[in-house]
Amino acid sequence: IINNYVEGTQAEAEDKASPSGLHFRDSKRKVDYVLAYHYRRSLARHAPGAASPEPRHGSACVALVSNGGTGKGRAEPQQQQQDNGQRALREWPGLAALAGLELSPLDALEDERRLQREEYERNLLEAGLEIERDPENKSQGLSFVRIHAPWQVLSREAELLKIKMPTKKMYEITEEKGILKTLNEVWCKLTEPLQPQVPQQENTKMKTLSYPFSREKIYLYNIKDKDTFFDNATRSRIVREILKRTSTKARNSMGINTLIANNVYDAAYPLHDGEYEGQNDEMNERKLLYQEWARYGVFYKFQPIDLIRKYFGEKIGLYFAWLGLYTVFLIPSSVVGIIVFLYGCITIESDIPSKEMCDQRNAFTMCPLCDKFCDYWNLSSACATAQASHLFDNPATVFFSIFMALWATMFLEQWKRLQMRLSYFWDLTGLEEEEEHPRPEYETKLLQKKLKNKNITTENTNELLFCLFCLQNEKEKLTWSDRMPGYAANFGLILFMVMLTFSAVFGVIVYRITTAAALSFSTNETTRSNVRVTVTATAVIINLVVVLILDEIYGAVAKWLTEIEIPKTEKTFEERLILKAFLLKFVNSYASIFYVAFFKGRFVGRPGRYVYVFEGYRMEECAPGGCLMELCIQLSIIMLGKQLIQNNLFEIGIPKLKKLIRKLKDERTEVKEMDTNQSKDPQQWDLDYILEPFTGLTPEYMEMIIQFGFVTLFVASFPLAPVFALLNNIIEVRLDAKKFITELRRPDTVREKDIGIWYNILSVIGKLSVIINAFVIAVTSDFIPRLMYQYAFSQNGSMHGFINHTLSYFNVSQLKAGTQPENSQFAQEVSFCRFKDYREPPWSPHQYEFSKQYWAVLSARLAFVILFQNLVMFLSVLVDWMIPDIPKDISEQIKKEKAMLVDFFLKEEHEKLKLIESFIARDKQKRRSRTKSKRTRAASFSQCHHSPKGSFTSFSSQHTVV
């Protein structure tokens, strides 16, 4: 490319800088996209005796505007380009000596990248784009290429991409009538203070008819100004599509993603609409979003979803709409959870089993908790644990579990309805999936396969890369055999990671067992009495730290595993990444909770025949009040810890840390030279480059999906989970908003009509929650044993005697030698101790075997699981059937819009036909009048010359005149 240098002084350069940082230097053409790259000039390594390659003082390289000099959309003539090249040689005397230089490997690599950039930008010019480059007047540094799409390119690409644009036709939206309309008006008045102060459509009852853009039917569209007809998000989306499909021959770089992967460019991004805060009074959409959405001070306001969608695109708009609906739905579940918790607090004094356990007159002498060093103990000492367990283990939790299962179903149904409503108003109905470009890694692997098939040596690979890619075998693709090593690695590593998670859980179990045994040896009475509390608290904190560390590791591992699978498109890559990351993080987050809920205390054994993990270390057992209280502690600490540390501190701290590191790295690598061609104030592309690049919505969705699991899967053990989730999400919405506005580069707009695979994951979690909560109530809590005792074993139908009923007897003389308590503190001699289980007493012929009550309770547990699961599933299906996926008014509006679109086309075509016919009729009339007048003049002309009538001369002259 011949560089078109514009001569001028430094002052002229500053004058030509765009005052807003959003336009070319002519302050007319918008910057639709920016490419950034680092360059390193090899001019410093000139041959001995060569002139210094510094430009003459008289001129400076102000700007490079490609595709038309300083603002014209046409290429320079070849002669002018040659003149500019010769002038560049005169300005840079050292350039003449460069031909004989021996380039270092680093310089050769930089030269290759420069050639790729030149070829790529030349291809962009051929595609119709206009570009403006910064001059490279340092030995090394950062440079930007600004891209503008003119109207011809925008209209062409909008037609190819089938982008729906507003037509001239507007129609009235049918409103709800009757009581629904009245309720809607009342709701709007009540929530008016909660509405964000953003520009709204003048007439909300009217909707513009949209239709995929067509240049042939351009008269249909409401084009007031060609510069503003396509908004900034649409313009950047169009440019991005061109960048993705524009190729270069060098290294077979198929698009901007490949060039960024090869470090030819550092970044490619659209610009933000300006600064989000500052002294200037000019309002832009970014500043408006910051003031009305991205500040913690406006946490009580609704989200401006339409403005979010307009600025960031439909995909991000749908995420925040989903997050907003999820947060709103947490309000009723939080209220019911608080009511259930308060019910437990109110009924704690009237709970008969807790009162029996706390009554010191009931001398329940319990068997030792460990061998040799642990003494017998009274059950009344566990009074506080029993009372705390009742807060969460009461009949109201069963109702709450059913409520949350139906809540999850209603949430998903309501989301489908809201999604359909947004699709209608955002013109996403009938959206076709766009053909995606292959990922650079897929193209590279496919190219390697072609090279291998053609038996081409690596020496002449670079010359034949592009030729091979252009072979007729375009339909060739990677087969399962090509991906088999990746699939095998995926299977092996995922299995290893799952086993690593189980190993971490087992390590925490070993820690609990050994620590409990060690603390039992202590001579301090306070330490021995608080062994269970100390072990539980420290083990949960250790488990939380392990979960946080493994979460970060699993995120990186899932990404690497997906990359070695070599998915073809970005959508396939994202879906596979989501599935792997969710599987690993799901197992990591819930493995310890599953252990406490379903396995802890189930394999302890009994006195005289305990199960030992290592020699001398007994398996841990549940507290006297059951494992539900410990499950509640485990769930609450992991949930709150993940939300506070991972979701909030990491989200705030890591982007700021990365931004600081990038800034320090750029300052260290750039040589401190006087840049004579940059304005003093940083431009918008400079400010946006410092920001963190947008990497997708997967982390945002993932943390909310894991939280959704905490809220639904084990809600029977922790009714306050929705409350803490609600408090977190109120902050999370503003935190994510602030991150998108202030910390991230502007994402590329992506049109999506749904949230994709995340909905399927939510649906699976909702169904899984029914099964898990059924087992938590039946197996982990004492709900079924209490129910069975009251209606099957109690003599008077009350709960009196329940504690004695659940405790079995053991003859202490049958303890193994060396396991009896040393120096027992009990005043009286102990003959029998009690332990929690349904077993035959020592005086029974079948001593210590499971009793009839055990089998009766077990049968009741299984029956409850089946009954609960089928009942809740039936109610969920009933709710799903009763709530239609598409709102009735939206369904009618879609039908009405289709009919109006046909009528609008027929009317416009009819008017166009009438206009053409009127033009044709008028043209015929004009021709006739002209012909008649010409004939009259011709006849008079022939009479003046006395030509014979009908002669050749007369005919010829008449014909010529006509």
Side-chain angles (χ1 to χ4, degrees):
I1 296 176
I2 302 298
N3 295 338
N4 303 329
Y5 292 103
V6 181
E7 295 184 1
T9 60
Q10 183 178 354
E12 290 174 352
E14 293 179 0
D15 291 339
K16 288 188 177 182
S18 173
S20 64
L22 301 173
H23 294 80
F24 278 13
R25 294 186 185 273
D26 57 9
S27 298
K28 296 179 181 178
R29 291 176 289 172
K30 285 184 179 179
V31 177
D32 296 321
Y33 224 86
V34 173
L35 307 179
Y37 64 93
H38 279 88
Y39 65 90
R40 179 181 178 275
R41 281 169 42 196
S42 58
L43 298 179
R45 298 182 68 253
H46 56 278
S52 176
E54 294 297 326
R56 297 181 182 176
H57 184 68
S59 64
C61 303
V62 177
L64 167 65
V65 182
S66 300
N67 197 3
T70 58
K72 298 178 181 179
R74 58 180 63 90
E76 287 189 338
Q78 185 177 2
Q79 184 61 39
Q80 187 178 350
Q81 292 179 351
Q82 293 175 358
D83 293 342
N84 287 336
Q86 293 172 2
R87 186 177 63 208
L89 288 174
R90 291 196 302 270
E91 300 293 338
W92 297 75
L95 287 174
L98 288 177
L101 290 181
E102 183 181 348
L103 296 179
S104 66
L106 191 61
D107 288 338
L109 180 61
E110 179 60 34
D111 193 52
E112 182 182 353
R113 290 173 179 170
R114 179 181 59 80
L115 292 174
Q116 289 187 64
R117 284 195 294 267
E118 290 177 352
E119 183 188 358
Y120 185 70
E121 289 162 20
R122 183 167 60 244
N123 293 341
L124 292 180
L125 294 176
E126 293 176 357
L129 297 176
E130 299 175 6
I131 64 175
E132 178 183 72
R133 293 185 61 185
D134 284 340
E136 299 177 2
N137 49 12
K138 291 183 180 181
S139 59
Q140 61 179 0
L142 177 66
S143 188
F144 297 95
V145 178
R146 294 170 288 280
I147 301 175
H148 168 77
W151 169 259
Q152 293 81 0
V153 175
L154 293 172
S155 57
R156 180 191 71 206
E157 296 298 322
E159 185 174 357
L160 290 174
L161 297 174
K162 299 179 181 178
I163 299 176
K164 284 189 175 182
M165 300 304 296
T167 62
K168 298 175 183 177
K169 178 68 175 176
M170 295 187 71
Y171 66 95
E172 186 177 1
I173 300 174
T174 306
E175 291 186 339
E176 297 171 339
K177 298 179 181 179
I179 189 171
L180 291 176
K181 182 180 179 181
T182 306
L183 292 175
N184 188 39
E185 290 175 352
V186 172
W187 174 253
C188 290
K189 287 184 178 180
L190 290 175
T191 58
E192 189 174 353
L194 305 180
Q195 297 293 339
Q197 301 299 317
V198 296
Q200 299 288 343
Q201 187 179 343
E202 294 179 0
N203 190 354
T204 55
K205 298 180 181 179
M206 302 295 291
K207 185 180 184 295
T208 305
L209 197 64
S210 297
Y211 185 74
F213 189 81
S214 173
R215 287 176 290 179
E216 293 181 356
K217 298 181 176 60
I218 199 168
Y219 55 89
L220 299 176
Y221 302 95
N222 187 20
I223 304 176
K224 297 178 181 178
D225 185 357
K226 289 185 176 181
D227 292 335
T228 58
F229 180 66
F230 295 103
D231 58 17
N232 292 344
T234 307
R235 295 173 70 97
S236 63
R237 177 191 168 202
I238 289 173
V239 174
R240 180 73 181 189
E241 286 298 321
I242 297 174
L243 294 176
K244 285 164 67 174
R245 70 167 184 256
T246 303
S247 61
T248 59
K249 294 182 181 179
R251 287 198 175 185
N252 189 36
S253 300
M254 298 298 293
I256 188 64
N257 293 333
T258 311
L259 293 173
I260 293 176
N262 294 334
N263 296 318
V264 177
Y265 290 100
D266 290 345
Y269 53 90
L271 291 180
H272 279 292
D273 280 0
E275 297 185 21
Y276 60 89
E277 58 183 357
Q279 300 298 327
N280 57 337
D281 297 330
E282 184 181 353
M283 181 59 69
N284 56 63
E285 290 181 351
R286 187 188 187 192
K287 182 181 289 188
L288 188 61
L289 284 170
Y290 177 76
Q291 293 178 355
E292 295 295 327
W293 178 54
R295 293 188 300 114
Y296 295 110
V298 293
F299 72 92
Y300 60 92
K301 289 188 176 183
F302 294 137
Q303 298 184 89
I305 293 296
D306 289 328
L307 187 58
I308 297 169
R309 169 252 177 177
K310 181 183 177 185
Y311 192 80
F312 291 111
E314 285 77 8
K315 188 174 184 178
I316 295 175
L318 283 173
Y319 163 70
F320 281 104
W322 175 85
L323 181 58
L325 181 69
Y326 173 47
T327 305
V328 169
F329 256 72
L330 284 173
I331 296 175
S333 61
S334 300
V335 172
V336 177
I338 292 173
I339 293 172
V340 170
F341 179 74
L342 292 177
Y343 172 82
C345 295
I346 294 170
T347 58
I348 193 170
E349 295 296 331
S350 60
D351 183 51
I352 296 175
S354 298
K355 291 168 70 175
E356 286 186 351
M357 189 178 292
C358 294
D359 191 356
Q360 295 184 359
R361 292 174 296 180
N362 296 327
F364 294 118
T365 303
M366 306 299 292
C367 296
L369 295 175
C370 65
D371 295 343
K372 195 174 182 179
F373 295 99
C374 295
D375 198 0
Y376 303 105
W377 55 287
N378 283 322
L379 185 61
S380 59
S381 63
C383 175
T385 307
Q387 290 180 335
S389 297
H390 179 73
L391 297 177
F392 306 102
D393 189 2
N394 56 70
T397 56
V398 180
F399 159 76
F400 191 54
S401 299
I402 298 174
F403 171 81
M404 288 303 295
L406 298 179
W407 172 88
T409 304
M410 291 187 67
F411 165 65
L412 293 177
E413 288 301 310
Q414 189 62 30
W415 167 244
K416 285 194 289 187
R417 290 169 63 84
L418 176 60
Q419 190 172 254
M420 198 65 211
R421 190 174 294 276
L422 292 176
S423 296
Y424 166 68
F425 283 105
W426 292 354
D427 296 320
L428 298 176
T429 53
L431 179 67
E432 299 178 2
E433 288 194 7
E434 300 173 2
E435 184 179 355
E436 290 193 71
H437 301 281
R439 299 176 66 248
E441 293 80 2
Y442 180 87
E443 292 175 341
T444 304
K445 187 71 176 179
L446 186 61
L447 186 61
Q448 291 174 355
K449 180 181 179 180
K450 291 179 180 180
L451 290 172
K452 186 177 180 181
N453 292 341
K454 295 296 180 181
N455 296 323
I456 298 179
T457 60
T458 57
E459 296 179 359
N460 57 347
T461 298
N462 290 333
E463 291 80 3
L464 294 176
L465 287 177
F466 186 77
C467 298
L468 280 173
F469 198 82
C470 294
L471 290 175
Q472 295 180 352
N473 193 13
E474 289 292 337
K475 293 183 180 180
E476 186 174 353
K477 60 182 181 179
L478 298 180
T479 60
W480 66 270
S481 57
D482 298 319
R483 293 193 172 99
M484 184 54 68
Y487 291 151
N490 268 264
F491 178 78
L493 275 174
I494 288 176
L495 187 62
F496 171 76
M497 291 297 171
V498 171
M499 297 305 298
L500 178 64
T501 302
F502 292 156
S503 302
V505 174
F506 182 73
V508 174
I509 295 170
V510 172
Y511 164 79
R512 295 159 68 108
I513 294 171
T514 54
T515 306
L519 293 178
S520 301
F521 300 157
S522 175
T523 56
N524 191 333
E525 181 64 26
T526 307
T527 304
R528 287 203 306 271
S529 61
N530 295 318
V531 167
R532 192 179 296 276
V533 177
T534 305
V535 170
T536 301
T538 55
V540 171
I541 292 172
I542 292 172
N543 194 64
L544 172 63
V545 173
V546 171
V547 166
L548 293 177
I549 293 173
L550 289 181
D551 249 6
E552 300 301 317
I553 295 174
Y554 288 167
V557 169
K559 186 176 181 181
W560 180 74
L561 289 175
T562 311
E563 287 174 348
I564 64 175
E565 273 190 16
I566 322 169
K568 183 176 182 179
T569 62
E570 286 294 339
K571 185 175 182 180
T572 310
F573 177 86
E574 186 179 12
E575 289 179 351
R576 294 185 182 181
L577 173 62
I578 288 169
L579 287 175
K580 291 180 183 62
F582 173 74
L583 173 63
L584 294 174
K585 293 191 176 187
F586 181 89
V587 173
N588 183 42
S589 298
Y590 299 114
S592 60
I593 299 173
F594 268 94
Y595 164 72
V596 175
F598 303 121
F599 298 101
K600 185 178 180 181
R602 313 290 170 198
F603 311 101
V604 178
R606 61 170 178 82
R609 193 177 292 177
Y610 285 113
V611 177
Y612 292 88
V613 181
F614 301 109
E615 188 175 353
Y617 294 104
R618 275 163 42 180
M619 280 291 293
E620 58 178 349
E621 50 189 304
C622 294
C627 277
L628 198 69
M629 186 61 200
E630 190 171 343
L631 175 62
C632 173
I633 295 171
Q634 185 93 5
L635 180 67
S636 60
I637 291 181
I638 291 180
M639 177 182 176
L640 296 178
K642 278 178 68 67
Q643 289 184 167
L644 180 64
I645 299 173
Q646 191 176 48
N647 297 0
N648 293 328
L649 294 181
F650 283 9
E651 277 196 35
I652 296 172
I654 290 180
K656 289 185 179 294
L657 185 62
K658 288 182 177 180
K659 179 180 176 181
L660 179 63
I661 292 172
R662 188 184 298 105
K663 187 175 181 181
L664 293 175
K665 183 180 178 181
D666 289 340
E667 289 178 354
R668 187 176 69 250
T669 54
E670 278 198 24
V671 180
K672 297 295 182 181
E673 301 178 23
M674 182 64 68
D675 191 350
T676 60
N677 296 299
Q678 283 189 346
S679 57
K680 295 179 181 178
D681 296 330
Q683 298 292 308
Q684 190 62 47
W685 47 84
D686 297 306
L687 298 173
D688 286 3
Y689 179 77
I690 301 173
L691 301 178
E692 182 72 12
F694 175 69
T695 55
L697 289 170
T698 301
E700 317 300 332
Y701 273 114
M702 187 65 70
E703 65 187 51
M704 289 295 104
I705 297 296
I706 296 296
Q707 184 202 83
F708 183 79
F710 282 122
V711 169
T712 55
L713 291 179
F714 295 93
V715 75
S717 64
F718 189 41
L720 294 179
V723 180
F724 292 107
L726 175 63
L727 296 175
N728 174 80
N729 285 10
I730 291 173
I731 301 172
E732 180 72 22
V733 171
R734 308 302 161 179
L735 181 64
D736 283 348
K738 190 171 184 179
K739 183 173 69 173
F740 273 85
I741 293 294
T742 65
E743 301 292 338
L744 297 179
R745 294 175 191 159
R746 188 170 183 173
D748 294 304
T749 57
V750 180
R751 288 177 69 85
E752 293 284 355
K753 57 184 178 181
D754 52 40
I755 60 174
I757 196 173
W758 295 112
Y759 179 84
N760 299 329
I761 294 176
L762 286 168
S763 181
V764 170
I765 291 177
K767 290 177 173 59
L768 190 62
S769 68
V770 177
I771 302 171
I772 291 177
N773 281 303
F775 276 99
V776 168
I777 295 170
V779 177
T780 311
S781 75
D782 282 340
F783 175 75
I784 299 300
R786 292 186 182 195
L787 210 62
M788 285 292 295
Y789 177 78
Q790 185 174 2
Y791 294 103
F793 304 120
S794 177
Q795 296 179 356
N796 55 5
S798 68
M799 291 300 296
H800 290 284
F802 173 72
I803 297 297
N804 185 53
H805 176 75
T806 58
L807 298 178
S808 299
Y809 287 92
F810 180 76
N811 191 344
V812 297
S813 62
Q814 296 178 349
L815 288 171
K816 289 184 178 179
T819 62
Q820 300 92 343
E822 295 181 352
N823 304 320
S824 176
Q825 302 296 322
F826 267 62
Q828 72 275 14
E829 185 178 350
V830 178
S831 300
F832 295 98
C833 66
R834 310 293 295 271
F835 63 98
K836 189 174 182 179
D837 206 348
Y838 291 101
R839 291 181 181 269
E840 297 288 346
W843 52 84
S844 171
H846 308 286
Q847 60 178 0
Y848 307 132
E849 292 184 3
F850 289 117
S851 62
K852 295 179 181 178
Q853 290 88 343
Y854 171 82
W855 298 110
V857 170
L858 180 62
S859 302
R861 291 181 194 269
L862 297 177
F864 175 81
V865 169
I866 296 172
L867 179 64
F868 181 90
Q869 177 182 340
N870 286 281
L871 174 64
V872 176
M873 287 291 187
F874 169 74
L875 292 175
S876 300
V877 172
L878 183 64
V879 170
D880 188 1
W881 174 76
M882 291 175 62
I883 302 176
D885 293 346
I886 304 176
K888 186 178 179 181
D889 60 328
I890 296 299
S891 178
E892 292 175 354
Q893 294 293 346
I894 292 174
K895 294 177 182 177
K896 178 181 176 182
E897 188 175 270
K898 290 181 179 178
M900 291 194 66
L901 191 63
V902 174
D903 293 340
F904 176 62
F905 269 105
L906 291 176
K907 183 179 178 182
E908 289 291 333
E909 291 294 333
H910 183 64
E911 290 181 358
K912 181 182 175 184
L913 186 60
K914 285 174 62 179
L915 188 64
I916 293 173
E917 288 177 349
S918 65
F919 275 122
I920 292 174
R922 194 183 307 171
D923 189 52
K924 285 182 178 179
Q925 188 175 1
K926 286 182 178 180
R927 285 184 178 179
R928 287 174 182 173
S929 60
R930 286 179 183 175
T931 306
K932 190 174 181 180
S933 61
K934 293 298 182 182
R935 285 176 177 173
T936 305
R937 287 199 299 268
S940 61
F941 178 79
S942 62
Q943 289 175 2
C944 292
H945 285 76
H946 305 284
S947 298
K949 188 176 181 179
S951 66
F952 178 78
T953 307
S954 174
F955 176 78
S956 177
S957 60
Q958 182 182 352
H959 178 75
T960 304
V961 173
V962 173

